[in-house]
Amino acid sequence: MLLKDILLGIDDLKVRGNLDTNINEIRSSSNQVQDGDMFVAIEGFDTDGHKYISEAIKNGANAIIAQTDKITKEMLKDIPQDITVILAPDTRHAISICACNFYKNPSRKLKLIGVTGTKGKTTTSFMIKEILETQGKKVGLIGTVANYIGSKNLGESSRTTPDSIELQRLFAEMVEEKVDCVVMEVSSQGLKHYRVEGITFAIGIYTNLSMDHIGPG
C-alpha cells in the first residue's frame, strides 16, 4: 500500500521524502523489519523505539514515523535522504490510524461490541459471545484469556487489548472468516495508549470503575 494512503486521517504531520513509497508491512519492532517495511518508533515502558531507527533502516525500512518531540535536527540528518521520514505528534496514535488504513478498516465490516471497566470484562465478553452464538451468529472474541473465531481458539493473549497492528490483523482475519460479530475487551491501558483509535464500535459496554482501574504504565 502507498504510504500516503496509510497516513490518511492523521493530522499535523511533517514529512521529508516521497509519500508515493510502497509499504509492505508496518512494524514497531526494529528487529522484525524487512525490506520495504515502515518502522514506527514508539517510546515504550522499558526502552525508546527512537533509539532503533538506524537498526530498522539497516534491516530494510524505507519509511520511518517518529514522534516530533523525540527527533533532534542532528538525528534527522543521520537518516539517509532516500528514507521517507514522517514526524507525528504522537506515534502511538499514529500507528493505530496507520494500522486501520493498512488493513482497510476491517472493524467497519464487523458488528463490534467493546466491553470496558475495571472488572468483569472477561466474564461479560464470554457471556455475550455465548448469547450471540445461540442466535446462530458467528462470533469473534478478543480478550484476556484468548482470542477466538467461533469455536477456534487462536491462542493465548499476550495482553487484554492487543497492540494496534495485531488488533487490525485480527479484525481482517475475522472479516475473511465471515464473522458476524466481535466481542472485545477494551482495557484502560488499551484506551490510554490509543490501541483502539480509529475503530468503529457498534456497541460499548461499561462494567464498573474502582480505584485500581488504571496503572501508571
Side-chain angles (χ1 to χ4, degrees):
M1 178 180 283
L2 292 179
L3 179 55
K4 64 182 180 183
D5 295 326
I6 295 174
L7 297 173
L8 287 173
I10 309 175
D11 297 326
D12 300 321
L13 297 178
K14 297 178 182 179
V15 179
R16 189 200 76 181
N18 182 14
L19 290 181
D20 287 318
T21 300
N22 192 63
I23 300 298
N24 293 333
E25 291 285 351
I26 303 170
R27 308 286 189 184
S28 59
S29 177
S30 60
N31 59 14
Q32 294 179 351
V33 170
Q34 299 179 31
D35 287 342
D37 290 351
M38 176 173 73
F39 175 66
V40 184
I42 294 173
E43 184 178 16
F45 306 123
D46 300 318
T47 189
D48 188 342
H50 295 81
K51 296 178 181 179
Y52 303 96
I53 289 175
S54 59
E55 180 181 344
I57 293 171
K58 181 180 178 181
N59 288 340
N62 59 7
I64 302 292
I65 298 184
Q67 195 156 297
T68 307
D69 62 357
K70 295 291 181 181
I71 293 291
T72 64
K73 291 181 180 180
E74 289 72 23
M75 291 171 68
L76 192 58
K77 288 178 183 178
D78 289 339
I79 299 174
Q81 289 295 317
D82 61 338
I83 304 297
T84 301
V85 180
I86 301 101
L87 299 182
D90 190 312
T91 50
R92 287 186 182 275
H93 177 271
I95 196 172
S96 292
I97 302 300
C98 287
C100 289
N101 292 331
F102 186 79
Y103 286 98
K104 304 184 186 303
N105 292 288
S107 69
R108 298 176 185 175
K109 303 165 189 173
L110 299 161
K111 186 175 288 295
L112 183 59
I113 302 168
V115 182
T116 194
T118 310
K119 299 182 185 301
K121 295 186 294 295
T122 301
T123 301
T124 303
S125 296
F126 274 95
M127 287 174 64
I128 295 170
K129 182 177 186 291
E130 184 74 21
I131 291 168
L132 291 171
E133 287 176 339
T134 62
Q135 299 300 309
K137 303 294 185 182
K138 186 171 185 179
V139 183
L141 185 141
I142 299 171
T144 304
V145 178
N147 301 319
Y148 289 85
I149 293 179
S151 60
K152 181 170 67 174
N153 188 328
L154 302 180
E156 294 183 6
S157 304
S158 58
R159 52 169 63 98
T160 298
T161 304
D163 69 62
S164 51
I165 299 173
E166 181 186 353
L167 183 57
Q168 295 302 321
R169 190 182 296 122
L170 274 170
F171 287 152
E173 183 178 352
M174 289 175 178
V175 170
E176 186 70 22
E177 293 279 345
K178 302 189 184 307
V179 165
D180 299 307
C181 308
V182 178
V183 188
M184 70 170 293
E185 297 182 48
V186 183
S187 67
S188 56
Q189 292 291 339
L191 290 166
K192 179 180 178 180
H193 296 300
Y194 300 109
R195 292 177 200 154
V196 295
E197 196 74 13
I199 290 172
T200 301
F201 287 96
I203 299 172
I205 296 173
Y206 169 71
T207 58
N208 53 60
L209 178 68
S210 65
M211 292 296 292
D212 60 343
H213 182 68
I214 188 167

